[in-house]
Amino acid sequence: MPDDKTDDQESPGLDLSAEIVNDEAVLKSSTPAVADDVLPESLYLIPVPQRPFFPGQVQPVGMDIEEWGGTIKEVMESSNGVVGLAYVDPGQLGGSEPDPKHFPEIGCVVRLHRPPMVAENPGQFLAQGVRRFRIVRWLNDKPPYRVQVEYPRSQGDRESDDVKAYAMAVLQAVKELLPLNPMYSEELRHYIANFNPNQPSLLADFSAALTTAKGDQLQEILETLPLQSRMQKVLGLLGKEKEVAELRGKITEQVNEKVSDQQREFFLREQMKVIQKELGISKDDRTSDAERFEERLEALVLPDAVRERIDDELQKLSVLEPGSPEYGVTRNYLDWATQVPWGLTSEDNLDLKHAATVLDADHDGLDDVKDRILEFLAVGSFKGEIAGSILLLVGPPGVGKTSIGRSVASALGREFYRFSLGGMRDEAEIKGHRRTYIGAMPGKFVQALKEVKVANPVIMLDEIDKIGASFRGDPASALLEVLDPEQNSEFLDHYLDLRVDLSQVLFICTANQLDTIPGPLLDRMETLRLAGYVAEEKLAIARNHLWPKQLERHGLEIDQLKINDPALKYVIESYCREAGVRNLEKQLSRIMRKAIVEFVKDRGKGRRKTAKAAKSIAEKRRIGKRDIEDLLGKPLFQREKPQRGIGVATGLAWTAMGGATLPVESSRVHTLNRGFKLTGRLGDVMRESADIAYSFIVSHLKDYRCDPDFFDTSMVHLHVPEGATPKDGPSAGITIATALVSLARKERIRRPLAMTGELTLTGQVLPVGGIREKVIAARRAKIMELILPHANRRDFEELPDYLREGINVHFARTFRDVFETVFEDHRRDKPLH
């Protein structure tokens, strides 16, 4: 080998990797690199996976002692104590053992210090980079790897001006980089300050190891022997490193600005607390919390058990450290417990005249519901307190159930709180969470009492028929305790774990139907039905409530936009036939929006106007019946005419949206064979009613003067129109039977007539529900003659006078009474008994 020395053989420098080694003993005791004549011609080889090793580096090297312990042992037994390190990319191995094709041609020979066999950390040894080596031939391609090597020298004149210029450029780049990265230690700064310009090769290796470049990029530096080319590549790496360091510095500076503002505010607040405490004008958090809770308790009338529990919690709070988790749990508990209005009630206004005035002012119609509420208030006035009853308002959407609850609270002078039970599936919403859980809270009722600040509010539970159940429990069952006057005086909330008196709360629940409410829960409530509104009631509601409300909402004055009664009635009959008035309110709002657009267009005249200016110049306008179609489009409903014809009868049905007329059609399809077909999306109960009616009529054809053989050879098809709407229930029994009799007699019903009632196989007519809704549906369809079950006479007579006025009702005990009313002219106008 050549024996002239290059700068590759100079004394080793410091660790240039991300992890800096500062071990003076190693650096002082390490001798200069072994001379060329003692560097062995063959080396044991160990792969390094992260980044290549450079000459001049002193760095810990991690390794698998089980895999490479044999190689290290062989090295330590040799006299030279050196080993070759070669970079091998782990991504190329795919989990397999490296073979010669994975090793690069050039690596770095290192001297071992603190070998793993004697070091404190068995999987690590300290390596001191000596020189580059090039693999000439493989002596053993299985672990322990052994190769024959040569030691190439750096190419180029290190004394040339070009090399020195590159060296100074690299040195300047390193100096610019050092202030940007706090990871570089003071030893590196010392090395740069004492740099020898006659060491360009070591400087290039030093600078490359200083960067965070990828392993393959550093390997390229290691394999570049010409000094000038190596320094060019190192300058490129240093430039990228500087850009990354500057970007990292900017990000850190932005983060530090935000953090420093928060820290400054925190320190100032802490200093202020200490100063105030020293001056005696402030207290620590624990003392101030305790005093605040005690101050709240002074205004409350606590039961003995509650007082004892709160005192215990206050005592616990006084010994806990404010920074402990238990302190936060106890503080939150006391915060809730001291905000429950224990013993605080508002005074009830039991003046019935005042209550009647409030209910009449807020609602038109619903006289029977108002009377029942006044009865309820009268009992409370007689007793001197309102307690013990839970009201359930049942009716279609938009009939005013929620607004009635608000009116009751206003009439009594009580606080009002409303929450919806629709879709609630967690029992803890009612009973509260156990306080041991993170984020635990009391139930809705304790939250309501905290918000209203009195123990006797009006609490409205909306949509009680839509409550659900899940793996979290059954909220409906949890409500049983709340809505039971015999139990709710000692309602137990799981979070407070205290008995809360809910007996003074007036609960008002709302529902669209009763079918989905559990029986035990329904049994605890008193049901008031809101059947819906007839056209006259809707007209009054629109005139007195909805129209003024929409004028105010749209920023219009009363005299700016007016609508006459024929127009309102046309909107009601042609666009809003549902039981409630919610859609009517939407249509009135739509009318106002259209009118405002016309105001702005008419008065704008191309000039830019503000909303305020457009309002001020709006002309007065009156909307009549002929304007409605221009504003709302073509009518959604045409005037209904009762269907007439052979085999057609009109029934009355109850739905969750209110009452409805239900035409039933029957037809003889052919006479080839006997059969009975049903269509119209009928439910199971209604199909059974149709089968009963068919069986009854077939077996009594002679009694109703029909052809006894009519059904023997007839395929009969019975259809209930509007097949997309599900229909179910037994109340169409007499309607279906009447349609079949009409078909068999080949005689149509000669006048508008509607009927409802359940039919049995013996011809009995049984009572049905929803009489109010059905009467309203008949009036809406202009049918003023009805047949009802005799057992429903009381229900009809209890209806308000304005609903019964002008209606001719026949009460039937058997289907014979129905038949004689429909088909016998001499009995047509005479009510049956």
Side-chain angles (χ1 to χ4, degrees):
M1 291 184 184
D3 54 5
D4 53 327
K5 184 177 179 181
T6 68
D7 61 336
D8 285 354
Q9 294 176 276
E10 298 167 15
S11 299
L14 300 174
D15 176 13
L16 310 178
S17 66
E19 181 180 357
I20 305 302
V21 175
N22 183 15
D23 194 329
E24 295 183 3
V26 172
L27 297 178
K28 292 178 180 178
S29 62
S30 60
T31 60
V34 289
D36 286 347
D37 54 350
V38 297
L39 283 176
E41 294 186 357
S42 63
L43 292 174
Y44 287 99
L45 200 59
I46 295 179
V48 288
Q50 302 300 330
R51 49 194 284 142
F53 212 89
F54 283 90
Q57 263 186 289
V58 178
Q59 177 179 343
V61 176
M63 50 167 277
D64 186 350
I65 193 64
E66 295 182 0
E67 185 176 1
W68 303 107
T71 302
I72 297 298
K73 187 176 180 181
E74 294 287 344
V75 172
M76 296 308 299
E77 291 177 353
S78 65
S79 59
N80 49 44
V82 294
V83 66
L85 298 183
Y87 168 70
V88 175
D89 187 359
Q92 298 179 357
L93 301 179
S96 61
E97 187 177 275
D99 55 35
K101 67 180 180 181
H102 296 124
F103 284 85
E105 185 181 22
I106 292 180
C108 180
V109 59
V110 300
R111 173 177 291 171
L112 296 183
H113 295 278
R114 295 181 185 169
M117 307 306 178
V118 297
E120 296 178 359
N121 186 353
Q124 193 177 77
F125 63 88
L126 188 63
Q128 176 187 357
V130 180
R131 290 197 58 182
R132 287 173 172 78
F133 69 83
R134 179 185 286 117
I135 299 175
V136 177
R137 184 166 62 92
W138 282 82
L139 303 177
N140 187 11
D141 58 359
K142 299 294 182 183
Y145 299 112
R146 188 171 177 83
V147 292
Q148 180 180 346
V149 299
E150 62 180 8
Y151 301 97
R153 301 185 185 279
S154 298
Q155 300 171 5
D157 184 6
R158 64 184 183 184
E159 301 294 337
S160 66
D161 293 339
D162 291 343
V163 171
K164 288 183 178 181
Y166 272 108
M168 298 306 296
V170 170
L171 183 61
Q172 182 62 31
V174 173
K175 288 182 178 180
E176 293 176 357
L177 184 61
L178 288 179
L180 300 177
N181 195 333
M183 296 176 61
Y184 307 133
S185 64
E186 187 63 31
E187 286 81 357
L188 293 176
R189 302 176 187 273
H190 179 74
Y191 180 88
I192 295 298
N194 296 278
F195 166 70
N196 186 349
N198 295 323
Q199 302 172 333
S201 178
L202 187 61
L203 175 64
D205 294 342
F206 168 90
S207 304
L210 192 66
T211 67
T212 58
K214 297 180 180 179
D216 54 352
Q217 293 176 318
L218 295 177
Q219 179 64 31
E220 185 179 354
I221 299 293
L222 186 66
E223 294 178 353
T224 303
L225 297 179
L227 284 175
Q228 191 168 332
S229 299
R230 193 191 315 171
M231 288 186 176
Q232 287 179 343
K233 294 178 180 179
V234 170
L235 279 174
L237 294 183
L238 290 174
K240 292 181 181 178
E241 194 73 16
K242 182 180 177 182
E243 292 178 2
V244 173
E246 289 176 345
L247 180 59
R248 181 170 59 242
K250 291 180 181 179
I251 295 173
T252 303
E253 183 179 353
Q254 293 175 358
V255 173
N256 288 338
E257 285 179 0
K258 297 180 181 179
V259 174
S260 61
D261 291 342
Q262 296 175 357
Q263 288 177 339
R264 179 174 177 274
E265 183 178 352
F266 172 77
F267 287 131
L268 288 175
R269 289 186 181 277
E270 291 300 316
Q271 290 173 358
M272 184 175 64
K273 288 181 181 179
V274 173
I275 294 172
Q276 290 177 341
K277 187 175 181 180
E278 291 294 329
L279 295 176
I281 60 176
S282 179
K283 307 174 183 66
D284 59 14
D285 292 340
R286 181 167 51 193
T287 304
S288 61
D289 286 341
E291 290 186 356
R292 182 169 69 255
F293 297 146
E294 289 285 0
E295 183 180 349
R296 291 178 184 174
L297 295 176
E298 292 177 0
L300 304 177
V301 182
L302 299 177
D304 294 339
V306 175
R307 178 83 246 190
E308 183 178 353
R309 168 60 70 83
I310 292 180
D311 288 342
D312 290 343
E313 296 295 330
L314 285 171
Q315 178 63 28
K316 183 192 298 184
L317 189 75
S318 65
V319 299
L320 291 172
E321 288 297 328
S324 66
E326 183 66 20
Y327 181 88
V329 173
T330 304
R331 182 189 178 282
N332 289 340
Y333 176 85
L334 286 171
D335 189 40
W336 278 104
T338 55
Q339 292 192 78
V340 175
W342 306 101
L344 299 181
T345 57
S346 59
E347 184 177 354
D348 289 335
N349 185 351
L350 300 177
D351 184 357
L352 295 185
K353 291 184 178 179
H354 169 72
T357 301
V358 171
L359 291 173
D360 289 337
D362 293 344
H363 299 87
D364 286 295
L366 304 177
D367 292 336
D368 52 342
V369 177
K370 293 179 184 176
D371 292 341
R372 178 62 191 89
I373 291 175
L374 290 177
E375 292 173 8
F376 171 73
L377 298 180
V379 173
S381 177
F382 186 77
K383 291 173 57 181
E385 62 175 353
I386 301 290
S389 292
I390 291 95
L391 301 180
L392 173 62
L393 305 178
V394 182
V399 296
K401 301 184 292 296
T402 303
S403 60
I404 284 180
R406 295 184 184 275
S407 299
V408 171
S410 177
L412 286 173
R414 288 193 177 192
E415 297 291 334
F416 180 79
Y417 186 88
R418 170 193 170 274
F419 67 92
S420 176
L421 297 172
M424 183 180 291
R425 296 178 178 274
D426 191 351
E427 181 182 315
E429 294 282 342
I430 305 297
K431 304 278 285 183
H433 305 83
R434 300 290 180 184
R435 60 183 288 196
T436 53
Y437 297 131
I438 296 175
M441 292 181 65
K444 284 289 187 182
F445 296 101
V446 173
Q447 295 179 37
L449 295 181
K450 172 192 171 184
E451 182 168 331
V452 299
K453 296 181 174 59
V454 290
N456 63 337
V458 174
I459 296 181
M460 170 158 281
L461 309 179
D462 254 342
E463 312 295 350
I464 198 171
D465 58 326
K466 298 176 180 63
I467 197 168
S470 70
F471 66 92
R472 295 185 179 93
D474 184 5
S477 299
L479 281 174
L480 294 177
E481 180 183 1
V482 177
L483 300 182
D484 189 344
E486 302 298 327
Q487 300 181 46
N488 61 13
S489 60
E490 293 188 348
F491 171 71
L492 180 65
D493 183 87
H494 289 165
Y495 180 83
L496 296 179
D497 201 22
L498 295 172
R499 299 289 178 177
V500 182
D501 185 4
L502 298 179
S503 61
Q504 300 182 76
V505 177
L506 175 57
F507 292 101
I508 300 180
C509 307
T510 70
N512 296 130
Q513 55 189 1
L514 301 178
D515 299 346
T516 56
I517 302 177
L521 186 59
L522 183 61
D523 185 57
R524 285 165 164 78
M525 299 181 286
E526 184 173 353
T527 302
L528 297 180
R529 290 187 176 273
L530 287 74
Y533 302 104
V534 295
E536 292 78 8
E537 292 176 324
K538 285 188 176 182
L539 181 62
I541 293 171
R543 173 62 62 197
N544 300 330
H545 300 282
L546 302 182
W547 187 257
K549 177 181 176 182
Q550 291 301 320
L551 286 174
E552 181 180 358
R553 181 173 294 178
H554 289 80
L556 294 171
E557 302 296 335
I558 296 178
D559 58 346
Q560 280 185 302
L561 187 63
K562 294 186 178 181
I563 186 170
N564 58 28
D565 287 349
L568 282 176
K569 195 169 184 179
Y570 185 63
V571 172
I572 293 168
E573 293 178 347
S574 301
Y575 298 87
C576 310
R577 288 191 181 178
E578 68 284 343
V581 295
R582 188 168 292 148
N583 187 45
L584 175 59
E585 185 175 9
K586 293 178 181 178
Q587 297 299 334
L588 296 181
S589 175
R590 187 179 175 191
I591 289 174
M592 290 189 185
R593 293 196 301 270
K594 298 277 189 180
I596 291 174
V597 170
E598 292 181 6
F599 285 157
V600 175
K601 286 183 177 180
D602 292 344
R603 306 301 295 172
K605 298 184 182 299
R607 298 188 304 272
R608 188 174 182 180
K609 299 290 182 180
T610 62
K612 185 175 181 181
K615 175 183 174 182
S616 64
I617 62 176
E619 295 181 352
K620 298 179 181 179
R621 179 176 177 185
R622 186 178 184 88
I623 297 176
K625 180 178 179 181
R626 62 183 180 181
D627 301 319
I628 297 300
E629 290 192 18
D630 294 334
L631 296 171
L632 299 181
K634 294 298 181 181
L636 301 178
F637 303 98
Q638 300 297 329
R639 183 170 181 177
E640 290 185 4
K641 294 183 179 180
Q643 296 186 26
R644 303 232 184 127
I646 296 175
V648 179
T650 301
L652 296 172
W654 178 93
T655 69
M657 301 295 290
T661 57
L662 193 71
V664 176
E665 303 172 343
S666 60
S667 174
R668 188 180 192 182
V669 180
H670 57 74
T671 58
L672 299 178
N673 60 326
R674 180 173 183 168
F676 185 54
K677 181 179 180 181
L678 297 172
T679 56
R681 199 177 177 189
L682 310 180
D684 293 338
V685 177
M686 197 165 183
R687 287 181 174 276
E688 292 176 357
S689 297
D691 291 337
I692 291 171
Y694 179 77
S695 299
F696 175 76
I697 296 302
V698 169
S699 60
H700 295 81
L701 286 174
K702 289 184 179 181
D703 298 339
Y704 302 113
R705 293 183 288 281
C706 301
D707 181 3
D709 301 325
F710 180 82
F711 289 102
D712 291 342
T713 58
S714 299
M715 176 62 189
V716 176
H717 185 175
L718 185 80
H719 176 63
V720 182
E722 297 185 18
T725 303
K727 297 167 280 293
D728 200 6
S731 61
I734 64 172
T735 309
I736 296 173
T738 302
L740 293 175
V741 170
S742 172
L743 180 65
R745 287 171 59 93
K746 300 180 181 179
E747 178 182 353
R748 69 183 182 92
I749 301 174
R750 301 181 182 277
R751 62 191 187 280
L753 179 67
M755 63 194 74
T756 182
E758 181 179 357
L759 180 66
T760 69
L761 281 174
T762 58
Q764 302 296 313
V765 179
L766 302 182
V768 294
I771 296 300
R772 180 188 175 106
E773 291 87 346
K774 293 173 180 178
V775 171
I776 291 175
R779 294 187 69 95
R780 190 182 298 125
K782 309 298 185 186
I783 300 177
M784 308 302 288
E785 186 175 1
L786 307 179
I787 299 177
L788 302 178
H790 187 274
N792 288 117
R793 178 189 287 269
R794 177 185 174 186
D795 298 323
F796 178 78
E797 292 176 351
E798 289 179 349
L799 294 178
D801 293 339
Y802 68 87
L803 288 180
R804 293 184 294 157
E805 183 180 359
I807 293 184
N808 183 20
V809 180
H810 308 273
F811 296 100
R813 289 189 172 91
T814 65
F815 187 74
R816 166 62 64 177
D817 299 333
V818 177
F819 171 75
E820 292 180 352
T821 301
V822 175
F823 296 103
E824 299 293 333
D825 291 342
H826 67 281
R827 300 286 301 274
R828 179 174 62 185
D829 299 324
K830 186 176 181 180
L832 297 175
H833 301 286

